[in-house]
């Protein structure tokens, strides 16, 4: 008698519990692919949907009844004309679905204007979170449409270049319950808008005014926000010390402050903020101060809860880190990138007190040796991220220390560390939890070193091998077997890679972002194998791959329908292939088409007409500006496409 499958013992409640513990997309895909029951449970559990093609929205809505979050940011053709068609395609029986949607992402939907926004707001009436970042044409009318969402709590307006104080006034009056607002790069918002914001949105907890042309008067208004916990004001070049004094007298709930790249501030003024806010959890002041005085650091004795500190770009001393190490015992992150004066002694003194560090940025601290890394490895056993770009005095010994002690390390940047070799990579491969590894410009590594990672680090998602001349086809063969979860790979100028390497990459089904600049030994054969295997490719850079013929580009047009960004500059593509490619890639939004010597002006004209409704960014030779028809250029711009003439 055949024994029943153990799967029959799993109730729906147990399956829902299991899937709630699967945070990795790869694992969830495996779960729902197991059987029809698992697929059904995944459909019931899913609350977030990222739509790749708008025409499938109506079908997907019926499959996932528990959705409360919708992301349309990667959809092509989201504009005023497609919104009515998109929403009308939703089955009438799914009307309650629209009311369940609480979060909507419309980032980079550059073709969307007031009519479309008004229709969206009327359809999704219960929205609490809206992201319209990088919708550069968004202005006051669009803001007025969003202001009808009385229940709105989170709004991202980053780089909405046409929003002024008038539009902001509409939002703060119509949405008084806002808790989070980002106005980064909204250059037309001034002190007047921030003043009104402080009066109307009394529940605000998170505010980002980075790169605005606001003055210290805005911080006077911000100081009256009693519930504000997070203030980001990166690059506010008009704010001076008086602004920090205002903050010091207000914002009683402040926990996170980012004043990076504010070059008119002094460390003495920041003292007033520190004294009044001993509960600060994060303090970021990268590239704001030329030097960090010891007298300033003595104030850190009051910051007993500080968990994140960034002082990149400043001059420091041994005493500086002795003070930080003695007072900031709970630090989990410190940023010291490009700090002058960082020595082994500095690091040893710091980590003797800050043993809980998990994120450590030492980019361009070129005086550090293996002794510093040894101290970090032996003291900070929970280290998860270490950035060591351009630390050229480090050798394989540093990686031996890390491999022996930092088993939780999941990200390390060793770009341009000339002392790194294959033996060092063998030691580092003991960190089996690695997800991101950057080895660009490490000229002393080879296929052998790469094979160690392929054997021991199956969770690698991102790998940078830029200009690693010792890496070739054998190394890629190892990756294709051991690193099945790889999503991003940079192989630019790894000139030893040939078509055989591309065939190996074709086995990496999860690969979505691939950079292959300047590979002279790749032909159409290799690109065909790559395209046929990597159906998830969304970003592909083939700049100066001069030996790929049309057969490779035809394969891309047929297999790579998920491509969103492509760089073909310097390729030998023809008129016909370019037209086929641009017409077939229905999700393409960003194309770089410079120095295509085999493509005529007529070829460009036809290719751009085939995709003008989808493109959001386009790079062309300046000489084409006079050769393309005015109608084509105007159509691209009207659809929200930003053209860069090179």
């Amino acid at each position: 008698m055949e024994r029943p499958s153990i799967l029959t013992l799993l109730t729906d409640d147990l399956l829902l519990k299991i899937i709630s513990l699967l945070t990795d997309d790869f694992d969830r895909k495996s779960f729902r692919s197991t059987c029809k029951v698992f697929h059904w449970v995944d459909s019931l559990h899913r609350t977030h949907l990222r739509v790749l093609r708008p025409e499938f929205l109506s079908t997907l809505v019926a499959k996932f009844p528990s959705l409360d979050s919708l992301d349309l940011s990667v959809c092509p053709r989201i504009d005023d004309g497609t919104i009515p068609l998109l929403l009308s395609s939703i089955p009438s029986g799914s009307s309650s679905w629209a009311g369940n949607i609480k979060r909507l992402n419309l980032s980079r939907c550059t073709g969307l204007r007031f009519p479309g926004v008004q229709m969206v707001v009327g359809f999704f009436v219960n929205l609490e979170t809206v992201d319209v970042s990088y919708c550069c044409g968004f202005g006051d009318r669009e803001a007025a449409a969003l202001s009808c969402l009385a229940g709105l709590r989170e709004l991202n307006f980053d780089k909405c270049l046409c929003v002024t104080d008038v539009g902001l006034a509409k939002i703060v009056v119509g949405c008084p319950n806002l808790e989070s607002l980002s106005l980064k790069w909204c250059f037309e918002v001034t002190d007047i808008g921030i003043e009104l914001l402080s009066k109307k949105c009394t529940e605000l907890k998170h505010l980002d005014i980075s790169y605005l042309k606001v003055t210290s008067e805005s911080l006077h208004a911000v100081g009256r926000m009693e519930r504000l916990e997070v203030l980001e004001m990166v690059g506010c070049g008009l704010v001076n010390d008086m602004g920090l004094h205002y903050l010091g007298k207000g914002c009683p709930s402040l926990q996170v402050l980012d004043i990076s790249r504010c070059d008119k501030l002094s460390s003495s003024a920041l003292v007033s903020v520190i004294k009044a806010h001993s509960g600060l959890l994060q303090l970021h002041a990268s590239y704001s101060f030329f030097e960090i005085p010891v007298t300033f650091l003595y104030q850190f004795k009051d910051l007993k809860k500080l968990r994140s500190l960034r002082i990149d770009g400043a001059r420091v001393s041994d005493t500086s880190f002795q003070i930080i190490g003695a007072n900031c015992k709970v630090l989990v992150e410190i940023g010291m990138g490009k700090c002058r004066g960082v020595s082994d002694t500095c690091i040893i003194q710091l980590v003797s007190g800050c043993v809980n560090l998990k994120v450590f940025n030492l980019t361009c601290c070129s005086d550090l040796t293996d002794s510093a890394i040894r101290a970090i490895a032996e003291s900070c056993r929970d280290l998860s991220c270490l950035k060591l770009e351009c630390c050229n005095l480090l050798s394989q010994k540093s990686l031996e220390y890390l491999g022996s002690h930092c088993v939780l390390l999941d990200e390390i940047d060793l770009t341009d560390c000339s002392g790194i070799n294959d033996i060092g990579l063998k030691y580092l491969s003991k960190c089996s939890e690695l997800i991101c590894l950057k080895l660009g410009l490490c000229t002393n590594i080879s296929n052998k070193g790469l094979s160690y990672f392929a054997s021991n680090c199956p969770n690698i998602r991102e790998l940078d091998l830029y200009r690693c001349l010792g890496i070739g086809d054998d190394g890629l063969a190892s990756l294709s077997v051991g690193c099945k979860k790889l999503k991003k790979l940079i192989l630019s100028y790894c000139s030893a890679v040939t078509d055989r390497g591309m065939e190996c990459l074709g086995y990496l089904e999860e690969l979505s972002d691939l950079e292959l600049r300047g590979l002279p030994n790749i032909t159409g054969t290799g690109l065909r194998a790559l395209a046929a295997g990597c159906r998830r490719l969304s970003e592909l850079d083939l700049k100066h791959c001069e030996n790929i013929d049309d057969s490779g580009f035809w394969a891309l047009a047929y297999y790579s329908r998920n491509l969103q960004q492509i760089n073909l500059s310097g390729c030998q593509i023809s008129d016909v292939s370019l037209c086929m490619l641009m017409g077939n890639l229905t999700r393409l939004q960003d194309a770089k088409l410079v120095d295509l010597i085999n493509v005529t002006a007529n070829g460009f004209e036809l290719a751009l007409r085939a995709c003008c409704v989808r493109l959001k960014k386009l790079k062309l030779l300046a000489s084409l500006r006079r050769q393309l028809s005015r109608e084509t250029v105007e159509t691209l711009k009207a659809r929200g496409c930003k053209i860069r003439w090179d």
Side-chain angles (χ1 to χ4, degrees), residues 108-163:
R108 301 183 189 276
C109 293
T110 53
L112 206 55
R113 293 295 184 271
F114 174 75
V117 176
Q118 191 176 42
M119 184 167 289
V120 167
V121 168
F123 192 77
F124 300 109
V125 294
N126 294 321
L127 284 175
E128 296 179 359
T129 301
V130 174
D131 185 348
V132 289
S133 57
Y134 296 92
C135 293
C136 300
F138 257 54
D140 294 340
R141 290 193 72 205
E142 289 74 24
L146 290 175
S147 69
C148 296
L149 297 169
L152 198 63
R153 296 185 180 276
E154 298 181 25
L155 177 60
N156 189 340
F157 259 149
D158 288 356
K159 219 166 190 178
C160 291
L161 302 179
C162 299
V163 173

Side-chain angles (χ1 to χ4, degrees), residues 389-529:
E389 181 180 351
C390 294
C391 294
N392 287 309
L393 299 181
L394 305 183
S395 71
Q396 65 189 46
K397 277 288 185 183
S398 290
L399 302 191
E400 183 178 2
Y401 299 138
L402 292 171
S404 300
H405 300 292
C406 301
V407 295
L408 299 179
L409 195 67
D410 60 32
E411 178 179 352
I412 186 167
D413 187 348
L414 297 168
T415 303
D416 203 12
C417 291
S418 56
I420 303 304
N421 56 24
D422 289 343
I423 298 175
L425 294 185
K426 182 178 181 180
Y427 291 133
L428 188 62
S429 67
K430 294 178 182 178
C431 301
S432 57
E433 298 301 315
L434 272 175
I435 293 175
C436 176
L437 175 62
K438 297 183 179 181
L439 297 169
L441 297 169
C442 291
T443 54
N444 294 318
I445 64 173
S446 69
N447 294 325
K448 187 175 182 181
L450 202 56
S451 68
Y452 295 132
F453 278 98
S455 300
N456 300 317
C457 304
N459 295 318
I460 288 279
R461 305 290 203 284
E462 180 179 346
L463 180 60
D464 184 352
L465 299 170
Y466 178 81
R467 289 190 186 274
C468 292
L469 302 181
I471 300 299
D473 298 337
D474 290 340
L476 300 186
S478 300
L479 285 180
S480 68
V481 174
C483 300
K484 293 293 188 181
K485 296 182 180 181
L486 194 65
K487 292 185 176 182
K488 182 176 181 178
L489 178 61
I490 297 177
L491 288 171
S492 293
Y493 307 105
C494 295
S495 53
V497 174
T498 71
D499 287 342
R500 185 168 73 87
M502 294 298 101
E503 292 173 7
C504 295
L505 292 184
Y507 292 101
L508 297 173
E509 296 181 0
E510 296 297 311
L511 197 62
S512 61
D513 188 342
L514 183 59
E515 188 176 304
L516 301 172
R517 291 189 180 194
L519 300 187
N521 296 316
I522 294 180
T523 68
T525 301
L527 190 56
R528 285 200 304 274

